[in-house]
Each structure stands twice: as structure tokens, then as C-alpha cells.
Amino acid sequence: MTVGVDGSPAGLAAADWGAREALLRDLPLRLIHAWERQHHSHTSLPWPAAPSRWSEGIPLVVTDRLRRRYPGLDITADHIIGPPRDVLCRASKGAEALVIGTAGVGRFAGFLLSSVSMATVAHAEAPVVLVRIGVSEGQPLPGAAPGPPPPVVLGLDLSRPCGEVVDFAFKAANVRATSLVVVHGWNPPPYYLYGLGAALKFGTDLSAEDRESVRQALQPWRERYPGVEVVAQAVIGEPAHHLLDAAANAALVVIGRHRRATSLPHIGHTAQAVLHHCPAPVAVVPHS
């Protein structure tokens, strides 16, 4: 499990969430701090060295904090010079997930996603989990509190292969010993809605067909993770809206991102909406 830290409250929230996730999955934790060296024309001035020393100390401070809180966790920390997006994307190679923090002020006001966060989500090879400030600070590990743990929510898109996304969601639910809520939203073409007879047929036959498609898509993972209770929803309407409703009390929301051979940070409008407004941590899983 890899976490990008920068000394901010959002970075500390991401580190705490990543530490807890590493414990759940029995994985070591790697902290990465990227610092982009600034070039100054007045090189004789002594002050540029101070930011460098401060930057080098961030991983050590965060490591010390996490070791006090989670004494059994295997933690390593690296300070790497380079553009943060490039450093984080390189660090994601081979990682179970890359965790980064983001400032957030609620569902309706939205997340404050930086250009680094968006570019990292769009280009990282591993799943990227965005954690909002305050999500995990001081909370017990999932399953430790009385009552059922909150579910994992999966946004399922059947229009393209999504095995990597489904597997990540099932695994996340399995390690938390919680249920998996699967939301498959579908916007019908306008011609389906013309006429009462068509609308009635759409509301019965087509929804049943959609539910069966969801069931078949999930069946291999139901067999692989028999302990995970699955609640599947095939719903009509904008997928992002249904996902945000389901995410109100979720432990984690899992969505997919199609890999694209482009330098542009494109992640799709549904992922954009969820990332900007979801109150829970969001895992964006790249898939073919």
C-alpha cells in the first residue's frame, strides 16, 4: 500500500487511511513525498535550502506519527525529487493501491481536487484512492465498532470489461467483513420512452434483463468471495446520482477508469461527478 504525503491535513488523513488499509490487507505501507525543486535566479540567497529540509522531514514526521498509532505496521518512507504527478504515478507501479488526500467540504459544495490529484487519478497504473479530510482520523478499524460495518459500494459499468474493478471492490468488502452494494445505472435512449406501451415494457422486461446481466457479471466473484453479501441494484437514471446516494454511509466507493493512450487527464463524467461530490473515500480502478 502506497500513500502520497505532503504535510497537509489532507495528506495526514490519506496516510492514516492507508495505514488502516495496509493492516486490513496485511501489507507493508510505503510513504512517498515528492518535492519539485524550484529554480531561482538568485542562487546566492540561502533561503531555498529551508524548504528542502522541511520537505525531507515530512515522511519522517508522518512515519513517527503512524508508528505510534499502529505499532505493528511495517512502514517505509521515501523523499523523492521530481514533479509530484510523475513521482506518484511511478510509485503506483506494482502497488496494491495509491492513496492520496484531498480537501473536501461536503457533498453539495464538493471536493477540492488539485491538478496533481486529477492527473494522478488519470494516469496511475494502480487503483488510486482519494481520501477526504476527517474521513478516517480517530475512527476505529472497520468492523471494530459495535453494529454492522458500513458497506463498500461498487459502480458497475457493463458496457466494457470491468473485471479489475469488480475484483477490487469484492476484495475491499471481504477484508472489511462487510457487504457490497453494486449500483448499475443506465440512461435509456429517448426512443424507449415514447408512448405508454413502450414505457411499460421498458419498466418491466428491460429492467429484468438488466438485473440478469448484473447477476451474470458478478457471479465469478460471488463464487470467489462467498462470504461477501451482495446487494445489486440495476437502476434507471444517471449513474453518478445513484452512486452518491448509495455512498452516503459507505466505507469505500469503487469506480472504474478506462485506460487511455493520451497525455490528457480524462477520467469520464461519472467518475468526475463522484470524485467531486462523494462523502466517502473513492477508489478509481484502471481497466482495459
Side-chain angles (χ1 to χ4, degrees), residues 70-181:
Y70 309 107
L73 184 59
D74 179 9
I75 306 174
T76 59
D78 295 306
H79 172 266
I80 301 175
I81 296 175
R85 188 205 81 168
D86 295 344
V87 170
L88 291 173
C89 286
R90 286 197 300 269
S92 74
K93 295 179 180 179
E96 187 85 2
L98 171 66
V99 186
I100 55 180
T102 180
V105 288
R107 170 172 173 176
F108 297 104
F111 271 161
L112 304 177
L113 293 177
S114 69
S115 59
V116 171
S117 298
M118 291 301 295
T120 303
V121 167
H123 296 290
E125 293 188 10
V128 178
V129 182
L130 287 100
V131 178
R132 186 173 61 146
I133 295 174
V135 165
S136 64
E137 288 290 327
Q139 296 178 5
L141 285 169
V152 172
V153 173
L154 166 64
L156 183 64
D157 180 4
L158 295 179
S159 66
R160 59 192 66 189
C162 54
E164 295 154 290
V165 187
V166 175
D167 189 71
F168 188 94
F170 267 88
K171 185 178 294 185
N174 188 58
V175 299
R176 288 168 170 78
T178 191
S179 59
L180 176 65
V181 176

Side-chain angles (χ1 to χ4, degrees), residues 242-263:
H242 293 292
L243 277 171
L244 291 172
D245 287 340
N249 298 302
L252 178 68
V253 175
V254 181
I255 56 178
R257 170 185 68 79
H258 185 249
R259 291 188 179 96
R260 297 172 184 267
T262 175
S263 60

Side-chain angles (χ1 to χ4, degrees), residues 7-285:
S8 69
L12 293 175
D16 189 77
W17 193 94
R20 293 149 55 84
E21 192 72 8
L23 285 172
L24 281 172
R25 296 174 182 253
D26 194 24
L27 294 171
L29 180 69
R30 183 189 183 196
L31 303 178
I32 298 289
H33 175 63
W35 183 65
E36 190 166 9
R37 190 187 303 276
Q38 302 297 317
H39 298 283
H40 302 277
S41 57
H42 303 288
T43 56
S44 60
L45 294 177
W47 65 265
S52 177
R53 288 195 296 270
W54 172 82
S55 176
E56 291 171 0
I58 288 175
L60 301 178
V61 171
V62 178
T63 298
D64 183 64
R65 171 192 174 106
L66 293 179
R67 281 182 174 152
R68 290 197 305 268
R69 183 171 291 183
Y70 309 107
L73 184 59
D74 179 9
I75 306 174
T76 59
D78 295 306
H79 172 266
I80 301 175
I81 296 175
R85 188 205 81 168
D86 295 344
V87 170
L88 291 173
C89 286
R90 286 197 300 269
S92 74
K93 295 179 180 179
E96 187 85 2
L98 171 66
V99 186
I100 55 180
T102 180
V105 288
R107 170 172 173 176
F108 297 104
F111 271 161
L112 304 177
L113 293 177
S114 69
S115 59
V116 171
S117 298
M118 291 301 295
T120 303
V121 167
H123 296 290
E125 293 188 10
V128 178
V129 182
L130 287 100
V131 178
R132 186 173 61 146
I133 295 174
V135 165
S136 64
E137 288 290 327
Q139 296 178 5
L141 285 169
V152 172
V153 173
L154 166 64
L156 183 64
D157 180 4
L158 295 179
S159 66
R160 59 192 66 189
C162 54
E164 295 154 290
V165 187
V166 175
D167 189 71
F168 188 94
F170 267 88
K171 185 178 294 185
N174 188 58
V175 299
R176 288 168 170 78
T178 191
S179 59
L180 176 65
V181 176
V182 181
V183 179
H184 172 56
W186 188 73
N187 273 326
Y191 56 80
Y192 273 107
L193 305 180
Y194 292 155
L196 179 60
L200 289 174
K201 186 176 189 300
F202 172 77
T204 55
D205 299 348
L206 207 70
S207 60
E209 180 181 338
D210 234 24
R211 286 196 297 271
E212 177 60 19
S213 297
V214 171
R215 189 196 68 77
Q216 292 180 8
L218 298 177
Q219 188 57 36
W221 285 272
R222 286 179 185 264
E223 296 172 359
R224 190 177 305 171
Y225 299 96
V228 175
E229 178 188 358
V230 179
V231 180
Q233 304 174 4
V235 290
I236 300 170
E238 181 60 42
H241 295 164
H242 293 292
L243 277 171
L244 291 172
D245 287 340
N249 298 302
L252 178 68
V253 175
V254 181
I255 56 178
R257 170 185 68 79
H258 185 249
R259 291 188 179 96
R260 297 172 184 267
T262 175
S263 60
L264 299 176
H266 180 78
I267 60 173
H269 72 278
T270 297
Q272 285 268 10
V274 173
L275 285 175
H276 279 280
H277 300 292
C278 184
V282 179
V284 183
V285 183

